[in-house]
């Protein structure tokens, strides 16, 4: 209540400037926060799509290496994929969760020490944090599948395309860690640029608002000063505002009132 009373005691110009400035600052902060959060979300979604494309190709190529559990074959495939930006580790595991081959691009980060990933039939990802990695990262996992044909007695020895039933089964999975630190850093640069632009726009808007408030309030101040002089008995004043808006109409009515008072005094 005290704050409200103090605000009511302020001049009209200060009230205008305070209210409009608060509205500008509040709306700018809300809009900027929303756009920043959406920008970071979009950047993370793009990073996950990139990792999804890489892990699917790698899982397809790892079928033979996982089937025979050949570490040399898997290491060669991992080395080729690990050259992509933002990849912090790659691991290939069998159905039992044993790591068949892995590579880490962060010192002190061992994929074997990370919690095992559930092997499913589709792409999965989870948000994680670990010592040796700034902030958080996403781990994507994708199943390694193989196909084998089942030949029945009825189709045994037949000639044609349909010689048996083809069965697809999961034999392992590929795990890929992808860091968001570079993406967040790029987003931070965009955010800083956006904040600077918003501050400039706010500054220009507030300056224009000061000019507008001055144009609106100055005639009212003249009317208030003239009213005080008329109350003191000085009827020689004339506002004479050449405006067609409501303030001009008020000034014209004030001048008419002064003329009426003059006539009454005569």
């Amino acid at each position: 209540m005290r704050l409200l009373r103090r605000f009511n005691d302020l001049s009209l110009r200060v009230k205008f400037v305070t209210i409009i400035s608060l509205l500008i600052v509040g709306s700018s902060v809300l809009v900027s926060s929303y756009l920043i959060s959406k920008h970071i979300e979009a950047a993370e979604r793009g990073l996950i799509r990139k990792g999804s494309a890489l892990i699917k190709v790698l899982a397809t190529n790892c079928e033979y290496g996982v089937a025979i559990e050949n570490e040399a074959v898997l290491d060669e495939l991992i080395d080729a994929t690990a050259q992509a930006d933002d990849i912090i580790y790659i691991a290939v595991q069998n159905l039992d969760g044993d790591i068949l081959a892995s590579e880490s691009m962060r010192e002190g980060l061992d994929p074997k020490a990370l919690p095992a990933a559930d092997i499913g039939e589709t792409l999965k990802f989870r948000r994680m944090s670990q010592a040796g990695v700034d902030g958080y990262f996403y781990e994507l996992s994708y199943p390694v599948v193989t196909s084998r044909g089942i030949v029945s007695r009825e189709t045994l020895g037949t000639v044609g395309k349909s010689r048996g039933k083809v069965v697809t089964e999961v034999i392992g999975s590929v795990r890929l860690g992808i860091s968001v630190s570079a993406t967040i850093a790029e987003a931070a640069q965009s955010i800083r640029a956006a904040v600077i632009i918003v501050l400039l726009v706010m500054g220009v808007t507030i300056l224009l608002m000061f000019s507008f408030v001055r144009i609106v309030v100055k005639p009212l101040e003249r009317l208030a000063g003239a009213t005080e002089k008329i109350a003191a008995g000085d009827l020689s004043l004339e506002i004479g505002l050449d405006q067609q808006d409501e303030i001009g109409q008020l000034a014209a009515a004030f001048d008419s009132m002064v003329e009426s008072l003059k006539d009454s005094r005569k």
Side-chain angles (χ1 to χ4, degrees), residues 62-70 74 92-94 100 144 171-172:
C62 285
E63 177 185 353
Y64 175 71
V66 174
I68 64 174
E69 296 191 355
N70 190 311
L74 296 174
V92 181
Q93 66 182 40
N94 58 19
L100 303 177
V144 178
I171 59 175

Side-chain angles (χ1 to χ4, degrees), residues 87-109:
I87 303 296
I88 56 176
Y89 68 86
I90 300 176
V92 181
Q93 66 182 40
N94 58 19
L95 281 177
D96 297 328
D98 300 326
I99 301 295
L100 303 177
S102 64
E103 182 175 348
S104 174
M105 280 61 76
R106 292 288 190 275
E107 185 178 355
L109 178 61

Side-chain angles (χ1 to χ4, degrees), residues 17 20-21 24-25 201-211:
V17 171
I20 298 176
S21 298
I24 293 173
V25 172
V201 171
M202 287 172 54
V204 172
T205 304
I206 291 175
L207 289 176
L208 292 175
M209 181 198 61
F210 268 109
S211 301

Side-chain angles (χ1 to χ4, degrees), residues 148-152 155 163-167:
R148 58 188 178 88
I150 299 177
V151 180
S152 63
T155 59
R163 294 187 177 180
K165 183 179 180 181
V166 177
V167 177

Side-chain angles (χ1 to χ4, degrees), residues 177-233:
I178 188 164
S179 174
V180 299
S181 58
T183 302
I184 296 297
E186 293 177 0
Q189 293 180 354
S190 301
I191 290 169
R192 283 193 292 268
V195 169
I196 292 173
I197 293 173
V198 168
L199 290 176
L200 289 175
V201 171
M202 287 172 54
V204 172
T205 304
I206 291 175
L207 289 176
L208 292 175
M209 181 198 61
F210 268 109
S211 301
F212 173 74
V213 169
R214 184 178 180 183
I215 293 172
V216 172
V217 174
K218 189 173 182 180
L220 296 177
E221 291 177 343
R222 288 177 59 183
L223 284 170
T227 303
E228 292 178 358
K229 290 184 178 180
I230 290 173

